[in-house]
Amino acid sequence: MNIIETKDLNLHYGEFQALKNINLDVSANEITALIGPSGCGKSTYLRTLNRMNDLVHGVKIDGSVRYRGEDIYAKDVDVTVLRKRIGMVFQKPNPFPMSIYDNVAYGPKLHQKMSRSAMNDLVEQSLRKAALWDEAKDRLKKSAMSLSGGQQQRLCIARALSVSPDVLLMDEPTSALDPASTAKIEELMGQLKQEYSVVIVTHNMQQAARISDRTAFFLTGDLVESGPTADVFSRPQDQRTENYITGRFG
Amino acid sequence: MTTLTPATGSALKGGLSAKRRAYSIGLRTAMYACVAIAVSVLVGIIGFVLYQGLGHITWELLSTQRSALRNTIGILPNILSTLYIVITTLLIAIPIGIGAAIYLCEYASNRKVVRLVEFTIEILAGIPSIIYGLVGFLFFVLNLGMRPSILVGSLTLSILVLPVIVRTTQEALRTVPHSYREGAFALGGTRWYIIRTIILPSSLDGIIGGTILAVGRMVGESAALLFTAGVGFTLVTNYFTALHTPGASLTVSLFLYITEHGNRDVGFAIAAILLIIVLTLNLLIKLVRRKFRKI
């Protein structure tokens, strides 16, 4: 089942066209990897899915992005609800300057009033899903800044999960982390896809090959090729894809 | 082939000619002298004022008002006037200044408008304060028919310190990483919620620092108040009555005691008090910054 469907999507930053006629679907309970060299539009595409590009001045978008059949760019769409359904994890861990507990509770507080005990449960649940509970349970009131980089990134994942999203967008979530932390997050993503649909932008092709079910290759704003990861990596249809994945450029 | 070392002898000694060495030493001496002059002038002024003034600060001076009958001098009304002016000015200028800074940093999307407003604020900051006094007098007193009072003085002073507050608040807001905003937006946060829960708390130290800086400007300002706050010397303890009463601030009274009464001792006592207040405020800024930075 397709959870997100993109049709004829074009995006301009002023005069510059960053995305050209993109047609791409995201399937439920799968990991979709977006690969391509820097500036190819993969992060820009990711940010159209939860309308983070709305925050950038001078962005113009046409075409359609549908989430569970609904046009997310329709006039009556409430972006706060959209972003609750489609969560995001960023390249650099960006915990808020508050306690670990408050970081996870921040999103739920935004959307609904909850009792103290319900909030405690939700925080624990979210930290467990992000595989951080055991490391954090004794220091929930400590500043999130006291965590290591890898722990901070898992905290950001817990924070994104706390508002019970449906889709998780990850923008190069491991590029600022060491190999051990990267391995933890990759393993975590494997678990997360049971419950969520994940779209991940990555610079690391081995990572895309290891963890994703489907892969889409972007180049200078075009979607060159997309399909099951095994096919894209072993039998690329397009010469440019082959050149990129074999390391001839990028 | 050229070489940097002398053809014979040590490779490490005798690099610079005597002339260049003398030049270098001369320049260094000149720079030491500049620093010595700057520091000694500053320390000299502070020391001189405190030396001349501290001895004349008595409890009677601080706690009474001037009496022509008993021929005594007290500066309590002036201390209160200064306090009232600071409080009133803060009440007016803080909401406007912080509000303007938040708008410029977080809401305004038109870069041209932002640049124009920032340019205007720069210009406002550079105008001599006596001109604010003059304009305040013309507008509030002559046009609106208010009489010189603590309120009119504070209104005028608010315009004067607004640039300080807007600029320091903007700087404080700009230090908040963009990634916090992105993270909160991605959770479905609305702009005002994010400002209230993340941006303001994490820029509080800078905003408080800027506010204290502004208080320093208020305490030290005289020219803008001379026309607008009036020259009252009577004690008014009720804040709301004082608002509509003329009152000479410490700085204005310092000017008047020296020029009209020729009372040098009281003048220096007030000067010493002002100096102590301003030094304390500066120390406070440092303490606030250090306290918040620990988190």
Side-chain angles (χ1 to χ4, degrees):
Chain A
M1 193 193 95
N2 291 333
I3 203 147
I4 292 176
E5 293 176 336
T6 313
K7 276 214 176 63
D8 305 324
L9 179 72
N10 289 287
L11 183 143
H12 291 82
Y13 290 121
E15 295 293 299
F16 176 73
Q17 184 164 12
L19 291 175
K20 299 167 191 162
N21 222 30
I22 306 294
N23 289 284
L24 183 62
D25 298 336
V26 174
S27 312
N29 300 101
E30 280 190 357
I31 297 177
T32 305
L34 312 178
I35 60 170
S38 297
C40 66
K42 56 195 190 303
S43 282
T44 302
Y45 172 72
L46 193 76
R47 282 159 180 265
T48 59
L49 303 183
N50 64 345
R51 290 186 55 174
M52 285 298 275
N53 283 326
D54 289 15
L55 304 173
V56 184
H57 194 61
V59 165
K60 211 178 114 271
I61 292 168
D62 57 74
S64 88
V65 180
R66 288 181 178 277
Y67 162 71
R68 291 190 180 274
E70 276 186 76
D71 183 357
I72 69 167
Y73 283 93
K75 284 215 159 50
D76 55 349
V77 165
D78 182 349
V79 283
T80 64
V81 179
L82 172 77
R83 290 182 189 146
K84 180 179 177 312
R85 303 299 293 147
I86 304 182
M88 189 165 210
V89 174
F90 297 84
Q91 179 173 4
K92 252 185 75 196
N94 59 348
F96 303 137
M98 42 181 92
S99 72
I100 296 172
Y101 184 98
D102 289 339
N103 260 281
V104 184
Y106 187 87
K109 267 188 206 157
L110 200 74
H111 296 286
Q112 70 196 82
K113 284 230 178 305
M114 288 174 83
S115 72
R116 188 82 200 160
S117 63
M119 184 62 89
N120 290 341
D121 289 347
L122 180 57
V123 168
E124 175 174 349
Q125 219 181 74
S126 308
L127 285 169
R128 276 191 192 284
K129 281 186 190 167
L132 190 60
W133 175 249
D134 290 333
E135 291 154 77
K137 65 180 176 210
D138 298 323
R139 49 198 283 204
L140 292 175
K141 296 287 165 202
K142 290 260 168 63
S143 165
M145 303 304 175
S146 67
L147 297 171
S148 73
Q151 290 172 326
Q152 288 188 6
Q153 192 62 303
R154 276 179 283 146
L155 178 65
C156 293
I157 295 175
R159 189 173 71 189
L161 298 180
S162 67
V163 292
S164 30
D166 195 17
V167 180
L168 204 53
L169 309 176
M170 307 182 103
D171 192 355
E172 297 185 45
T174 61
S175 67
L177 303 182
D178 62 77
S181 305
T182 300
K184 280 186 192 161
I185 289 189
E186 285 184 8
E187 192 182 329
L188 181 61
M189 283 194 278
Q191 295 164 15
L192 290 174
K193 74 170 183 178
Q194 317 292 331
E195 219 177 315
Y196 309 93
S197 311
V198 180
V199 185
I200 176 176
V201 165
T202 177
H203 254 119
N204 180 333
M205 271 172 300
Q206 286 78 22
Q207 183 173 62
R210 269 196 305 269
I211 62 169
S212 70
D213 301 291
R214 305 180 75 82
T215 295
F217 172 59
F218 283 76
L219 189 63
T220 59
D222 287 304
L223 174 61
V224 175
E225 184 167 349
S226 72
T229 298
D231 294 355
V232 172
F233 277 90
S234 56
R235 292 180 296 279
Q237 303 294 305
D238 195 291
Q239 187 60 41
R240 291 169 294 175
T241 314
E242 187 176 339
N243 290 345
Y244 182 69
I245 60 177
T246 51
R248 262 174 236 154
F249 73 98
Chain B
M1 200 181 92
T2 55
T3 153
L4 290 173
T5 51
T8 56
S10 164
L12 297 174
K13 291 171 194 156
L16 289 180
S17 69
K19 198 174 153 198
R20 285 183 65 184
R21 190 169 307 186
Y23 183 66
S24 170
I25 291 171
L27 261 187
R28 197 186 304 178
T29 314
M31 277 182 274
Y32 282 144
C34 292
V35 173
I37 290 170
V39 172
S40 57
V41 165
L42 188 71
V43 172
I45 289 177
I46 295 176
F48 178 69
V49 169
L50 291 180
Y51 175 73
Q52 295 279 328
L54 282 180
H56 299 288
I57 301 176
T58 59
W59 179 244
E60 197 204 346
L61 182 75
L62 295 176
S63 63
T64 61
Q65 60 176 316
R66 196 171 77 190
S67 165
L69 286 176
R70 283 182 280 125
N71 198 23
T72 55
I73 286 177
I75 57 164
L76 182 61
N78 312 111
I79 295 175
L80 281 183
S81 292
T82 298
L83 187 69
Y84 291 154
I85 288 171
V86 167
I87 292 172
T88 316
T89 307
L90 283 179
L91 286 176
I92 302 167
I94 289 283
I96 299 177
I98 294 182
I102 290 178
Y103 175 77
L104 290 174
C105 279
E106 306 294 330
Y107 285 92
S109 54
N110 190 334
R111 300 306 312 164
K112 269 192 189 145
V113 173
V114 172
R115 244 175 272 143
L116 186 71
V117 173
E118 283 176 349
F119 181 65
T120 315
I121 290 171
E122 288 297 312
I123 302 244
L124 273 177
I127 293 176
S129 61
I130 189 97
I131 293 178
Y132 283 98
L134 188 64
V135 173
F137 180 72
L138 283 175
F139 182 73
F140 294 115
V141 178
L142 296 187
N143 273 13
L144 298 184
M146 300 164 85
R147 77 173 173 142
S149 60
I150 298 289
L151 180 64
V152 171
S154 302
L155 285 167
T156 309
L157 215 50
S158 299
I159 308 169
L160 184 103
V161 297
L162 211 51
V164 179
I165 296 176
V166 173
R167 270 197 309 196
T168 51
T169 306
Q170 269 188 304
E171 276 164 31
L173 294 174
R174 285 200 186 113
T175 61
V176 179
H178 189 64
S179 64
Y180 293 172
R181 295 177 177 85
E182 274 195 330
F185 273 121
L187 286 168
T190 55
R191 204 173 276 274
W192 175 242
Y193 186 82
I194 296 170
I195 291 171
R196 194 163 57 76
T197 54
I198 294 178
I199 297 174
L200 284 181
S202 38
S203 53
L204 204 59
D205 61 334
I207 295 175
I208 293 177
T211 306
I212 300 174
L213 199 70
V215 171
R217 284 289 303 271
M218 295 173 210
V219 171
E221 185 50 48
S222 54
L225 293 172
L226 205 53
F227 295 112
T228 54
V231 289
F233 280 87
T234 40
L235 185 65
V236 186
T237 43
N238 183 309
Y239 172 68
F240 294 99
T241 316
L243 273 186
H244 302 289
T245 314
S249 68
L250 281 171
T251 44
V252 170
S253 69
L254 161 62
F255 173 70
L256 294 174
Y257 274 119
I258 298 262
T259 54
E260 290 186 1
H261 303 260
N263 196 332
R264 199 168 165 276
D265 293 348
V266 174
F268 270 108
I270 298 174
I273 292 170
L274 284 169
L275 213 59
I276 292 168
I277 295 176
V278 172
L279 291 176
T280 312
L281 288 172
N282 275 312
L283 202 70
L284 215 58
I285 296 180
K286 286 217 161 56
L287 286 179
V288 168
R289 298 241 157 103
R290 200 172 303 163
K291 180 171 168 13
F292 279 87
R293 204 146 292 165
K294 274 187 194 145
I295 296 172

